[in-house]
């Protein structure tokens, strides 16, 4: 929680439009997107941010090193469900109230503001309007082009990440590779590196003049967004696939190897059919996180290549709250609809296979 919060860029970026409270990730962004451009300051601030996260990781590893594991040796007894008493009711009510405050009210406010002509006039009938939604379709190039670009990047990210994640998980679970522990560590690195630091690093690495001579000058192209999104998605996809592969007995793989079945056929005929549910979950997780990744998109998006998070964020920065919230509802709703349709199509296919 500490590492995720200290590296968060989206919330400070949205609040910066109306309230000055600079955080380390937002200060890094400001260093390269305000005049004069200070790449040196962005690099130093990124170093401090990574240092704080490294300290947190050290504390975690140290605590795990000291951990002890004890097992109960007595016979197991059947659990008897108990009725929820007054304390249970109070805890449930407290949890519901807390979720309403931190999730329900902000989401409901976004919906309300997208239909309000003027926020200061409040909830009066004459203040309701569809103007901002009409504006999205009248000036559709910014939003729908950004949505199209984000979907293309997210789709490419999901496919590439699934391939890499499956190969990494296979090596970690079924191989006897000597350095697989090192692969495991590298597959988790970007989980601890904030998106804003990852974006700054990509600028430093992929903006070298000599890369143009060999056709690898990725900075200023959509491919750098795909590459950064894949780096961010690999840890999540790898963990999901590893969780499903551990349930498949290794004897199945050994038996196939003894029969001379190659890796591609073993994967296609044994592993993939057994973990297709996990693959779908991993792919949708990578797809959804890539679409809404504000930090990477804001720092690395090429000129004249708008993405959905950047289009929404620019609306907030220009204090066009009605337009920005309408774009959030429409764009976010469309992405969620795609995810739900893919999930339903998969479940329907599963039922057909079982029948």
């Amino acid at each position: 929680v500490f590492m995720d919060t200290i590296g968060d860029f989206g919330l400070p970026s949205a609040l910066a439009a109306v309230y000055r409270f600079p955080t380390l990730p937002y200060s890094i962004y400001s260093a390269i997107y305000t005049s004069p451009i200070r790449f040196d300051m962005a690099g130093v601030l990124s170093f401090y941010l990574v240092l704080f996260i490294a300290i947190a990781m050290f504390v975690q590893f140290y605590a795990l090193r000291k951990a002890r594991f004890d097992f109960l040796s007595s016979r197991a007894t059947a659990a008897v469900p108990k009725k929820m008493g007054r304390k249970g009711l109070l805890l449930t009510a407290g949890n519901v109230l807390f979720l309403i405050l931190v999730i329900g009210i902000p989401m409901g406010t976004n919906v309300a503001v997208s239909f309000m002509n003027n926020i200061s006039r409040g909830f009066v009938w004459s203040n309701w309007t569809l103007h901002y939604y009409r504006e999205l379709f009248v000036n559709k190039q910014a939003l729908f082009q950004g949505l199209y670009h984000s979907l293309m990047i997210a789709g490419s990210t999901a496919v590439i990440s699934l391939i890499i994640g499956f190969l990494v998980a296979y090596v970690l679970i079924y191989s006897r590779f000597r350095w697989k522990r090192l692969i495991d560590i590298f597959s988790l690195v970007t989980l601890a590196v904030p998106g804003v630091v990852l974006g700054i690093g990509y600028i430093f690495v992929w903006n070298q003049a000599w890369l143009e001579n060999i056709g690898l000058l990725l900075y200023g192209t959509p491919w750098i967004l795909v590459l950064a999104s894949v780096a961010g998605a690999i840890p999540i996809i790898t963990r999901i696939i590893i969780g499903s592969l551990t349930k498949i007995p290794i004897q199945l793989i050994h038996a196939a190897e003894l029969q001379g079945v190659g890796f591609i056929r073993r994967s296609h005929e044994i592993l993939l059919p057994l973990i297709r549910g996990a693959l779908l979950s991993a792919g949708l997780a990578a797809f959804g996180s890539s679409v809404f990744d504000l930090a990477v998109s804001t720092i690395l998006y090429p000129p004249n290549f708008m993405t959905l998070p950047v289009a929404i964020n620019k609306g907030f920065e220009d204090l066009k709250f009605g337009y920005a919230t309408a774009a959030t509802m429409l764009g976010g709703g469309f992405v969620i609809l795609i995810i739900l349709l893919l999930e339903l199509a998969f479940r329907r296919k599963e039922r057909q296979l079982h029948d």
Side-chain angles (χ1 to χ4, degrees):
V1 172
F2 175 84
M3 290 187 291
D4 186 57
T5 304
I6 197 173
D8 184 36
F9 172 77
L11 187 61
S13 175
L15 293 176
V18 292
Y19 181 69
R20 183 65 180 167
F21 189 78
T23 61
L24 200 50
Y26 189 77
S27 298
I28 295 171
Y29 167 77
S30 300
I32 62 172
Y33 279 95
T34 56
S35 183
I37 297 175
R38 295 289 306 276
F39 283 108
D40 54 344
M41 181 179 291
V44 172
L45 294 178
S46 298
F47 170 78
Y48 283 126
L49 182 56
V50 173
L51 180 63
F52 291 141
I53 294 175
I55 293 173
M57 292 183 68
F58 173 78
V59 172
Q60 178 186 0
F61 289 141
Y62 181 80
L64 291 176
R65 186 178 65 86
K66 293 289 186 179
R68 293 179 65 247
F69 301 92
D70 296 319
F71 296 90
L72 297 176
S73 58
S74 60
R75 296 178 61 185
T77 57
V80 180
K82 296 182 180 180
K83 292 184 178 181
M84 185 169 55
R86 182 177 299 178
K87 291 183 179 180
L89 291 173
L90 289 176
L91 287 173
T92 302
N95 287 330
V96 171
L97 179 62
F98 177 76
L99 292 175
I100 290 174
L101 288 174
V102 299
I103 299 177
I105 291 179
M107 291 300 297
T109 303
N110 270 284
V111 175
V113 170
S114 69
F115 289 101
M116 294 172 66
N117 191 39
N118 192 328
I119 301 176
S120 60
R121 291 179 58 191
F123 296 94
V124 294
W125 182 256
S126 59
N127 196 31
W128 297 107
T129 180
L130 293 174
H131 168 72
Y132 299 115
Y133 287 93
R134 286 196 297 267
E135 185 179 353
L136 292 177
F137 287 94
V138 172
N139 302 321
K140 58 185 178 180
Q141 182 175 3
L143 176 66
F144 289 97
Q145 190 177 57
L147 179 60
Y148 172 76
H149 290 159
S150 292
L151 292 177
M152 293 300 102
I153 292 170
S156 302
T157 298
V159 173
I160 297 173
S161 300
L162 277 176
I163 296 173
I164 298 176
F166 174 77
L167 295 176
V168 170
Y170 185 93
V171 170
L172 295 179
I173 298 299
Y174 296 124
S175 78
R176 299 180 181 88
F177 183 55
R178 181 179 179 183
W179 303 106
K180 67 179 184 180
R181 178 59 180 168
L182 189 62
I183 295 177
D184 188 23
I185 294 174
F186 276 116
S187 70
L188 291 174
V189 166
T190 54
L191 194 63
V193 178
V196 64
V197 175
L198 190 66
I200 295 295
Y202 271 48
I203 292 177
F204 293 155
V205 172
W206 297 105
N207 195 24
Q208 306 292 325
W210 62 273
L211 291 174
E212 188 173 6
N213 298 327
I214 59 176
L216 288 178
L217 187 62
L218 299 183
Y219 183 69
T221 68
W223 284 108
I224 196 170
L225 289 173
V226 175
L227 192 63
S229 298
V230 169
I234 286 297
I236 300 174
I237 283 186
T238 303
R239 296 306 111 183
I240 294 176
I241 297 178
I242 285 177
S244 62
L245 286 182
T246 53
K247 300 176 183 178
I248 301 175
I250 195 172
Q251 289 82 0
L252 289 177
I253 306 300
H254 289 167
E257 289 178 340
L258 291 174
Q259 297 296 324
V261 179
F263 168 74
I264 295 178
R265 188 178 174 188
R266 289 200 306 270
S267 301
H268 181 262
E269 297 186 4
I270 299 176
L271 294 178
L272 296 184
L274 294 174
I275 65 169
R276 52 177 174 257
L279 292 175
L280 177 69
S281 299
L284 292 180
F287 177 83
S289 61
S290 299
V291 170
F292 298 109
D293 192 346
L294 178 62
V296 169
S297 296
T298 303
I299 293 174
L300 296 177
Y301 78 96
N304 301 320
F305 192 87
M306 190 70 65
T307 62
L308 179 61
V310 174
I312 294 173
N313 191 53
K314 284 189 176 295
F316 279 108
E317 289 180 347
D318 297 336
L319 303 182
K320 298 168 62 176
F321 299 120
Y323 176 86
T325 51
T328 301
M329 294 298 105
L330 188 63
F334 185 74
V335 173
I336 293 173
L337 180 62
I338 291 176
I339 294 175
L340 290 177
L341 290 176
L342 290 173
E343 182 77 23
L344 290 174
F346 173 79
R347 291 184 179 180
R348 184 177 179 181
K349 185 69 174 178
E350 284 287 285
R351 286 196 297 267
Q352 292 176 351
L353 291 174
H354 286 302
D355 293 342

Short mmCIF file of all heavy atoms in Angstrom, two decimals, residues 88-122:
data_model
loop_
_atom_site.label_atom_id
_atom_site.label_comp_id
_atom_site.label_asym_id
_atom_site.label_seq_id
_atom_site.Cartn_x
_atom_site.Cartn_y
_atom_site.Cartn_z
N GLY A 88 -21.45 -7.27 14.90
CA GLY A 88 -21.36 -7.56 13.47
C GLY A 88 -22.14 -6.57 12.63
O GLY A 88 -21.69 -6.12 11.57
N LEU A 89 -23.34 -6.22 13.11
CA LEU A 89 -24.15 -5.24 12.39
C LEU A 89 -23.47 -3.87 12.34
O LEU A 89 -23.49 -3.19 11.32
CB LEU A 89 -25.53 -5.13 13.04
CG LEU A 89 -26.45 -6.35 12.89
CD1 LEU A 89 -27.72 -6.17 13.72
CD2 LEU A 89 -26.81 -6.56 11.42
N LEU A 90 -22.86 -3.47 13.46
CA LEU A 90 -22.17 -2.18 13.50
C LEU A 90 -20.96 -2.17 12.56
O LEU A 90 -20.71 -1.19 11.86
CB LEU A 90 -21.74 -1.87 14.93
CG LEU A 90 -22.85 -1.53 15.92
CD1 LEU A 90 -22.29 -1.35 17.32
CD2 LEU A 90 -23.59 -0.27 15.48
N LEU A 91 -20.20 -3.29 12.54
CA LEU A 91 -19.06 -3.36 11.64
C LEU A 91 -19.49 -3.33 10.18
O LEU A 91 -18.86 -2.67 9.34
CB LEU A 91 -18.26 -4.64 11.92
CG LEU A 91 -17.44 -4.66 13.21
CD1 LEU A 91 -16.84 -6.04 13.43
CD2 LEU A 91 -16.33 -3.61 13.16
N THR A 92 -20.56 -4.05 9.87
CA THR A 92 -21.07 -4.04 8.49
C THR A 92 -21.53 -2.65 8.08
O THR A 92 -21.22 -2.17 6.99
CB THR A 92 -22.24 -5.04 8.36
OG1 THR A 92 -21.78 -6.34 8.72
CG2 THR A 92 -22.75 -5.06 6.93
N ALA A 93 -22.27 -1.99 8.97
CA ALA A 93 -22.74 -0.64 8.68
C ALA A 93 -21.56 0.32 8.51
O ALA A 93 -21.56 1.19 7.62
CB ALA A 93 -23.67 -0.15 9.78
N GLY A 94 -20.53 0.16 9.35
CA GLY A 94 -19.35 1.01 9.23
C GLY A 94 -18.62 0.80 7.93
O GLY A 94 -18.18 1.76 7.28
N ASN A 95 -18.50 -0.46 7.50
CA ASN A 95 -17.84 -0.75 6.22
C ASN A 95 -18.61 -0.18 5.04
O ASN A 95 -18.04 0.40 4.12
CB ASN A 95 -17.69 -2.27 6.05
CG ASN A 95 -16.61 -2.84 6.95
OD1 ASN A 95 -15.66 -2.16 7.28
ND2 ASN A 95 -16.78 -4.09 7.36
N VAL A 96 -19.95 -0.35 5.07
CA VAL A 96 -20.77 0.18 3.98
C VAL A 96 -20.67 1.70 3.93
O VAL A 96 -20.54 2.30 2.85
CB VAL A 96 -22.24 -0.26 4.17
CG1 VAL A 96 -23.14 0.45 3.17
CG2 VAL A 96 -22.36 -1.77 4.00
N LEU A 97 -20.71 2.35 5.10
CA LEU A 97 -20.60 3.82 5.14
C LEU A 97 -19.25 4.28 4.60
O LEU A 97 -19.18 5.26 3.84
CB LEU A 97 -20.80 4.30 6.57
CG LEU A 97 -20.69 5.82 6.80
CD1 LEU A 97 -21.76 6.55 6.00
CD2 LEU A 97 -20.79 6.15 8.28
N PHE A 98 -18.20 3.57 4.99
CA PHE A 98 -16.87 3.94 4.51
C PHE A 98 -16.76 3.80 3.00
O PHE A 98 -16.21 4.68 2.31
CB PHE A 98 -15.82 3.06 5.20
CG PHE A 98 -14.42 3.32 4.73
CD1 PHE A 98 -13.72 4.44 5.17
CD2 PHE A 98 -13.79 2.45 3.86
CE1 PHE A 98 -12.42 4.68 4.74
CE2 PHE A 98 -12.50 2.68 3.42
CZ PHE A 98 -11.81 3.80 3.87
N LEU A 99 -17.29 2.70 2.44
CA LEU A 99 -17.25 2.50 0.99
C LEU A 99 -18.07 3.55 0.25
O LEU A 99 -17.70 4.00 -0.84
CB LEU A 99 -17.74 1.09 0.64
CG LEU A 99 -16.83 -0.06 1.08
CD1 LEU A 99 -17.50 -1.40 0.79
CD2 LEU A 99 -15.49 0.02 0.39
N ILE A 100 -19.18 3.96 0.85
CA ILE A 100 -19.99 5.02 0.23
C ILE A 100 -19.20 6.33 0.18
O ILE A 100 -19.22 7.06 -0.82
CB ILE A 100 -21.31 5.20 1.00
CG1 ILE A 100 -22.21 3.99 0.77
CG2 ILE A 100 -22.02 6.48 0.56
CD1 ILE A 100 -23.48 4.01 1.60
N LEU A 101 -18.48 6.62 1.26
CA LEU A 101 -17.73 7.87 1.33
C LEU A 101 -16.57 7.90 0.34
O LEU A 101 -16.35 8.91 -0.34
CB LEU A 101 -17.20 8.09 2.75
CG LEU A 101 -18.23 8.45 3.82
CD1 LEU A 101 -17.57 8.49 5.19
CD2 LEU A 101 -18.88 9.79 3.52
N VAL A 102 -15.80 6.79 0.25
CA VAL A 102 -14.58 6.82 -0.55
C VAL A 102 -14.79 6.40 -2.00
O VAL A 102 -13.95 6.71 -2.86
CB VAL A 102 -13.49 5.92 0.08
CG1 VAL A 102 -13.14 6.41 1.47
CG2 VAL A 102 -13.92 4.46 0.12
N ILE A 103 -15.89 5.69 -2.29
CA ILE A 103 -16.14 5.23 -3.66
C ILE A 103 -17.47 5.74 -4.19
O ILE A 103 -17.54 6.32 -5.28
CB ILE A 103 -16.10 3.69 -3.74
CG1 ILE A 103 -14.72 3.16 -3.33
CG2 ILE A 103 -16.43 3.22 -5.16
CD1 ILE A 103 -14.63 1.65 -3.33
N GLY A 104 -18.55 5.53 -3.43
CA GLY A 104 -19.88 5.84 -3.92
C GLY A 104 -20.09 7.32 -4.19
O GLY A 104 -20.57 7.71 -5.27
N ILE A 105 -19.73 8.18 -3.23
CA ILE A 105 -19.95 9.62 -3.41
C ILE A 105 -19.09 10.18 -4.55
O ILE A 105 -19.60 10.93 -5.40
CB ILE A 105 -19.69 10.36 -2.08
CG1 ILE A 105 -20.78 10.00 -1.07
CG2 ILE A 105 -19.64 11.88 -2.30
CD1 ILE A 105 -20.61 10.64 0.29
N PRO A 106 -17.78 9.87 -4.63
CA PRO A 106 -17.02 10.38 -5.77
C PRO A 106 -17.55 9.92 -7.13
O PRO A 106 -17.65 10.71 -8.06
CB PRO A 106 -15.61 9.83 -5.51
CG PRO A 106 -15.54 9.63 -4.05
CD PRO A 106 -16.91 9.19 -3.65
N MET A 107 -17.91 8.63 -7.24
CA MET A 107 -18.44 8.14 -8.51
C MET A 107 -19.79 8.78 -8.81
O MET A 107 -20.06 9.18 -9.95
CB MET A 107 -18.58 6.62 -8.46
CG MET A 107 -17.25 5.88 -8.44
SD MET A 107 -16.24 6.22 -9.90
CE MET A 107 -17.29 5.58 -11.18
N GLY A 108 -20.64 8.88 -7.79
CA GLY A 108 -21.93 9.53 -8.01
C GLY A 108 -21.79 10.98 -8.37
O GLY A 108 -22.54 11.51 -9.21
N THR A 109 -20.81 11.67 -7.78
CA THR A 109 -20.58 13.07 -8.11
C THR A 109 -20.11 13.22 -9.54
O THR A 109 -20.51 14.16 -10.25
CB THR A 109 -19.54 13.66 -7.14
OG1 THR A 109 -19.99 13.50 -5.80
CG2 THR A 109 -19.33 15.14 -7.42
N ASN A 110 -19.25 12.32 -10.01
CA ASN A 110 -18.82 12.36 -11.41
C ASN A 110 -20.01 12.25 -12.35
O ASN A 110 -20.11 12.99 -13.34
CB ASN A 110 -17.83 11.22 -11.68
CG ASN A 110 -16.40 11.61 -11.43
OD1 ASN A 110 -15.78 12.30 -12.23
ND2 ASN A 110 -15.87 11.17 -10.31
N VAL A 111 -20.90 11.32 -12.06
CA VAL A 111 -22.10 11.16 -12.89
C VAL A 111 -22.94 12.43 -12.86
O VAL A 111 -23.41 12.92 -13.89
CB VAL A 111 -22.92 9.94 -12.43
CG1 VAL A 111 -24.21 9.85 -13.23
CG2 VAL A 111 -22.11 8.66 -12.58
N ALA A 112 -23.15 12.99 -11.65
CA ALA A 112 -23.99 14.18 -11.52
C ALA A 112 -23.39 15.38 -12.24
O ALA A 112 -24.10 16.09 -12.97
CB ALA A 112 -24.19 14.50 -10.04
N VAL A 113 -22.07 15.60 -12.08
CA VAL A 113 -21.42 16.75 -12.71
C VAL A 113 -21.49 16.66 -14.23
O VAL A 113 -21.61 17.67 -14.92
CB VAL A 113 -19.96 16.86 -12.23
CG1 VAL A 113 -19.19 17.90 -13.03
CG2 VAL A 113 -19.93 17.23 -10.75
N SER A 114 -21.44 15.44 -14.77
CA SER A 114 -21.50 15.29 -16.22
C SER A 114 -22.85 15.72 -16.79
O SER A 114 -22.96 15.99 -17.99
CB SER A 114 -21.20 13.84 -16.61
OG SER A 114 -22.25 12.97 -16.18
N PHE A 115 -23.88 15.79 -15.94
CA PHE A 115 -25.22 16.22 -16.39
C PHE A 115 -25.59 17.61 -15.90
O PHE A 115 -26.71 18.06 -16.15
CB PHE A 115 -26.28 15.23 -15.90
CG PHE A 115 -26.25 13.90 -16.59
CD1 PHE A 115 -25.67 12.80 -15.97
CD2 PHE A 115 -26.77 13.74 -17.86
CE1 PHE A 115 -25.65 11.56 -16.60
CE2 PHE A 115 -26.75 12.51 -18.50
CZ PHE A 115 -26.17 11.42 -17.87
N MET A 116 -24.68 18.31 -15.20
CA MET A 116 -24.99 19.62 -14.64
C MET A 116 -24.42 20.73 -15.51
O MET A 116 -23.25 20.69 -15.88
CB MET A 116 -24.45 19.73 -13.21
CG MET A 116 -25.12 18.77 -12.23
SD MET A 116 -24.33 18.74 -10.59
CE MET A 116 -24.69 20.41 -10.05
N ASN A 117 -25.24 21.71 -15.81
CA ASN A 117 -24.81 22.84 -16.63
C ASN A 117 -23.84 23.73 -15.89
O ASN A 117 -22.87 24.23 -16.44
CB ASN A 117 -26.02 23.65 -17.10
CG ASN A 117 -25.64 24.66 -18.17
OD1 ASN A 117 -24.83 24.39 -19.04
ND2 ASN A 117 -26.24 25.84 -18.08
N ASN A 118 -24.10 23.94 -14.58
CA ASN A 118 -23.25 24.78 -13.74
C ASN A 118 -23.19 24.16 -12.35
O ASN A 118 -24.23 24.01 -11.70
CB ASN A 118 -23.81 26.21 -13.67
CG ASN A 118 -22.83 27.18 -13.05
OD1 ASN A 118 -22.04 26.82 -12.19
ND2 ASN A 118 -22.86 28.43 -13.51
N ILE A 119 -21.99 23.82 -11.90
CA ILE A 119 -21.85 23.13 -10.63
C ILE A 119 -22.36 23.99 -9.48
O ILE A 119 -22.98 23.48 -8.53
CB ILE A 119 -20.37 22.75 -10.39
CG1 ILE A 119 -19.87 21.84 -11.51
CG2 ILE A 119 -20.20 22.06 -9.04
CD1 ILE A 119 -18.40 21.49 -11.40
N SER A 120 -22.13 25.29 -9.54
CA SER A 120 -22.49 26.16 -8.42
C SER A 120 -24.00 26.28 -8.21
O SER A 120 -24.45 26.62 -7.11
CB SER A 120 -21.90 27.56 -8.64
OG SER A 120 -22.40 28.14 -9.83
N ARG A 121 -24.80 25.97 -9.22
CA ARG A 121 -26.26 26.09 -9.09
C ARG A 121 -26.88 24.90 -8.37
O ARG A 121 -28.03 24.97 -7.94
CB ARG A 121 -26.89 26.25 -10.48
CG ARG A 121 -26.58 27.58 -11.15
CD ARG A 121 -27.22 27.65 -12.50
NE ARG A 121 -28.67 27.48 -12.42
CZ ARG A 121 -29.45 27.28 -13.47
NH1 ARG A 121 -28.92 27.20 -14.68
NH2 ARG A 121 -30.75 27.13 -13.32
N GLY A 122 -26.13 23.82 -8.24
CA GLY A 122 -26.60 22.69 -7.46
C GLY A 122 -27.63 21.82 -8.19
O GLY A 122 -27.79 21.87 -9.41
#
